[in-house]
Amino acid sequence: MKNLSKLPAKAWWVFIFKPFLKFGTAFCFILGGFILLLSQVILPQFTGQDSKLESPQNSVLGAFNVDTPSPMVGVPLPKSAKLSSSESLTITSGVNEEVPDTFLLTIPKLNIKEASVETNSVNLSPDERLGHFRGSAIPGDIGTTFIYGHSAAPLFFSPNNYKTIFSTLPNLTVGDEFSIGINAVTYRYEVTETKILNPAEVAPLKDYGLETGSSSSVVLMTCYPPGLTTSRLLVIGKLVY
């Protein structure tokens, strides 16, 4: 055994604390991973994304409550006008005369294929399908279709799990395309802009067509950063055909 009394002062510290430093580093990595898992995945599932909570401030929709009538939210608007033949590209007149209960969203870049969207949803926590904000435009009509869904840490993303389906939505950039299928018609959209807003700044019934230069547009929204409820990410797309 080494005679510690003969070691230099510096060697004393190295000899005593080397095992601690070795295992302490591993412990810090494990603790950091646990904190990340807790904050990014576990807590969001139990503290802010439940439509039954008394306050919806931390839900996907933030401060908006689709069950409470107000000038801004929760009131179904009159059926939006159809695009005229001169404005439409491949839109068939009258395809949305009967509004279906659901429609389908496909985002090739994110490997999301025909995800189900509940039309005119009143669900603040869309765990079983994406939500279409009640009163926003039906795809193919004049105006903006507002779609919202959950996110989690990108590590847990699954295109088939509606609790994580929008986890990689931040990967969409200007020029990327996605499509919506409704009533046997497919509409294609091109991303024109992304925005990060405070929850109180989100306006689900705003018409983003003026910003996109299109009579028909779509907003895809989720919590940001993915898995947290600090802000909201809006991906805005215009109809291309």
Side-chain angles (χ1 to χ4, degrees):
M1 181 177 179
K2 295 182 179 180
N3 187 344
L4 300 183
S5 63
K6 295 181 179 180
L7 292 175
K10 183 178 181 181
W12 269 85
W13 288 101
V14 174
F15 184 81
I16 295 174
F17 289 101
K18 186 176 181 180
F20 173 78
L21 292 174
K22 179 180 179 181
F23 293 103
T25 302
F27 174 77
C28 289
F29 276 110
I30 294 173
L31 180 62
F34 175 77
I35 293 174
L36 179 65
L37 178 65
L38 183 66
S39 63
Q40 294 279 332
V41 181
I42 298 176
L43 287 181
Q45 297 299 323
F46 292 98
T47 61
Q49 299 180 353
D50 189 343
S51 60
K52 297 181 181 179
L53 295 179
E54 293 183 1
S55 172
Q57 295 293 331
N58 291 326
S59 71
V60 176
L61 286 172
F64 297 100
N65 188 335
V66 293
D67 291 320
T68 303
S70 73
M72 272 298 297
V73 298
V75 181
L77 301 180
K79 185 164 181 60
S80 55
K82 295 290 180 295
L83 295 172
S84 67
S85 57
S86 61
E87 293 176 304
S88 65
L89 297 173
T90 58
I91 294 177
T92 302
S93 176
V95 294
N96 289 333
E97 290 300 330
E98 294 185 5
V99 179
D101 293 333
T102 61
F103 55 88
L104 302 176
L105 171 68
T106 296
I107 311 177
K109 184 175 181 178
L110 306 184
N111 294 319
I112 296 174
K113 183 177 180 181
E114 297 187 342
S116 179
V117 184
E118 182 179 17
T119 310
N120 290 318
S121 178
V122 295
N123 189 356
L124 294 176
S125 185
D127 295 337
E128 297 181 358
R129 54 176 56 90
L130 295 167
H132 161 253
F133 192 83
R134 187 173 70 181
S136 68
I138 301 299
D141 289 354
I142 293 175
T144 299
T145 302
F146 194 95
I147 299 171
Y148 56 95
H150 286 309
S151 66
L155 176 65
F156 299 94
F157 164 72
S158 169
N160 301 314
N161 184 346
Y162 288 95
K163 292 184 178 181
T164 69
I165 191 168
F166 272 174
S167 299
T168 58
L169 197 62
N171 293 343
L172 288 182
T173 57
V174 173
D176 290 333
E177 292 191 357
F178 60 92
S179 64
I180 291 178
I182 183 170
N183 288 338
V185 178
T186 298
Y187 301 102
R188 291 185 61 185
Y189 299 83
E190 179 183 312
V191 176
T192 59
E193 185 181 3
T194 61
K195 294 183 177 184
I196 297 175
L197 303 176
N198 292 326
E201 296 176 316
V202 177
L205 296 182
K206 178 180 178 179
D207 185 358
Y208 289 86
L210 295 177
E211 299 179 17
T212 66
S214 172
S215 296
S216 182
S217 59
V218 171
V219 171
L220 307 176
M221 190 196 75
T222 193
C223 296
Y224 185 88
L228 300 182
T229 57
T230 308
S231 303
R232 299 295 183 270
L233 170 68
L234 278 65
V235 175
I236 304 168
K238 68 175 181 180
L239 180 70
V240 291
Y241 65 83

